[in-house]
Amino acid sequence: MVKRDGNGGGNGPGNGDVAVGISVGTAIGVALGLTVFDNIALGIGVGMALGIALGSARRSRREPPGGSRGER
């Protein structure tokens, strides 16, 4: 087994924020696509972009300065 060092993956605190942002953004994007844009694919793209941005912003607010999991 290979030991991984760094920021990738894992189940530490805050790693699910971007995933939740993608799923919520996709749901909101479908609604926007049906009502505003009249194009579901365009709405999903806009919703995912907003969800990723909000999820990563939420994650960055919860992490201490200097990275996650106490890295130095």
Side-chain angles (χ1 to χ4, degrees):
M1 186 185 286
V2 177
K3 182 178 178 182
R4 294 183 181 175
D5 293 330
N7 253 352
N11 54 0
N15 284 335
D17 291 334
V18 175
V20 170
I22 290 172
S23 60
V24 170
T26 302
I28 291 172
V30 168
L32 281 175
L34 287 173
T35 57
V36 176
F37 301 122
D38 200 27
N39 185 350
I40 294 176
L42 181 63
I44 289 174
V46 169
M48 281 183 62
L50 289 174
I52 291 170
L54 293 175
S56 62
R58 181 177 175 199
R59 179 179 179 179
S60 68
R61 289 188 76 187
R62 292 200 306 178
E63 285 184 358
S68 61
R69 291 181 274 170
E71 295 176 354
R72 294 183 183 191

